[in-house]
């Protein structure tokens, strides 16, 4: 059951980040990948800043912010 929640959080976070940065998502698999990598980035950033978030909504917020930072950085490198 945990892996399904993990994938769901990744999909939601990836879709939200894609919508914020790009105006649309990346498809189901792309959203999951962006969301999972974003969760790692967001987790490291929140840990560095000493911020704690818990629960389902906190995980989505952390992963979404990390994914937005990831996509923004990728956009800067692409230019």
């Amino acid at each position: 059951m945990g892996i399904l929640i993990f994938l769901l959080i990744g999909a939601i976070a990836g879709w939200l980040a894609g919508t914020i940065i790009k105006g649309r998502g990346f498809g189901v698999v792309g959203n999951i990948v962006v969301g999972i990598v974003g969760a790692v980035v967001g987790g490291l950033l929140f840990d560095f800043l000493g911020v704690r978030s818990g629960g389902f909504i906190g995980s989505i917020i952390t992963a979404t912010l990390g994914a937005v930072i990831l996509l923004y950085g990728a956009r800067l490198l692409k230019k």
Side-chain angles (χ1 to χ4, degrees), residues 3-79:
I3 190 75
L4 293 177
I5 299 298
F6 185 70
L7 293 174
L8 179 64
I9 290 171
I12 293 170
W15 174 77
L16 285 170
T19 302
I20 291 168
I21 293 293
K22 192 175 162 188
R24 58 184 173 83
F26 299 100
V28 175
V29 175
N31 286 342
I32 291 172
V33 171
V34 168
I36 291 171
V37 175
V40 172
V41 172
L44 290 173
L45 179 66
F46 275 30
D47 190 43
F48 177 75
L49 296 174
V51 177
R52 296 282 176 219
S53 64
F56 186 75
I57 300 298
S59 297
I60 290 174
I61 291 169
T62 301
T64 301
L65 289 176
V68 166
I69 292 168
L70 175 76
L71 293 175
Y72 183 74
R75 180 183 281 178
L76 289 177
L77 290 176
K78 189 176 178 181
K79 289 183 179 181

